[in-house]
Amino acid sequence: MTNSMKLQFESRSCNESFARTAVAAFAAQLDPTYEELSDIKTAVSEAVTNCIVHAYAERLDSVYITAQIKEGNTFLVKIRDRGCGIADIAKAMEPLYTTSPEGERAGLGFAVMQSLCDKVTVRSKPGQGTTVTLLKKFKAKQ
């Protein structure tokens, strides 16, 4: 079975909870455990927050999410922006690295995503935006 959905919303902080809840509702088709659902909600929350805080900083634009349920209880989520992009992805993914230290940011977003998902990939071009892909394999139900 493959099933997919798409979302687009403004980069307002109030939309972060909408994004994580919508993705979790879609993932519910896999009958995940509470922990699995919590993991995907938190990872999506971190990725969307990065779009709002870093990619668009002081301006509004769109955040795009696509999600897919694939064979083998695999859940794939892509969070994309058309923001400033990331010049050094490896550096940005280092724990405690942040481009907004004055904004009281801990620089743990990517580390959190990596700890909760089976795979996290980041593609970015400065001035063109970033796509974060989260892959989570849910346990098969008996």
Side-chain angles (χ1 to χ4, degrees):
M1 168 181 85
T2 299
N3 192 11
S4 63
M5 69 93 173
K6 293 181 181 183
L7 288 175
Q8 178 182 345
F9 52 91
E10 286 188 336
S11 60
R12 297 178 186 275
S13 60
C14 61
N15 286 333
E16 176 272 324
S17 62
F18 161 71
R20 74 170 180 249
T21 302
V23 171
F26 185 70
Q29 297 171 61
L30 289 168
D31 194 23
T33 65
Y34 175 79
E35 184 177 329
E36 290 170 330
L37 204 53
S38 180
D39 288 353
I40 204 68
K41 286 171 69 175
T42 302
V44 167
S45 177
E46 292 292 337
V48 169
T49 298
N50 280 352
C51 294
I52 294 166
V53 172
H54 300 291
Y56 295 129
E58 302 298 321
R59 68 182 173 100
L60 286 179
D61 208 318
S62 292
V63 176
Y64 306 88
I65 297 180
T66 59
Q68 292 181 315
I69 295 171
K70 297 180 166 239
E71 296 292 332
N73 290 332
T74 300
F75 192 63
L76 186 74
V77 183
K78 292 185 179 189
I79 299 95
R80 182 175 64 86
D81 64 66
R82 298 180 303 195
C84 63
I86 302 170
D88 186 342
I89 294 170
K91 182 76 172 166
M93 293 182 78
E94 289 178 7
L96 305 178
Y97 176 80
T98 182
T99 59
S100 299
E102 67 284 345
E104 298 182 23
R105 299 287 164 192
L108 294 172
F110 285 124
V112 168
M113 288 180 242
Q114 289 173 315
S115 72
L116 299 174
C117 295
D118 294 300
K119 185 175 181 183
V120 176
T121 56
V122 180
R123 294 180 59 192
S124 189
K125 290 187 180 178
Q128 295 183 26
T130 301
T131 300
V132 174
T133 303
L134 310 171
L135 182 122
K136 177 97 174 153
K137 287 188 174 265
F138 292 152
K139 292 177 179 62
K141 300 299 175 193
Q142 302 293 338

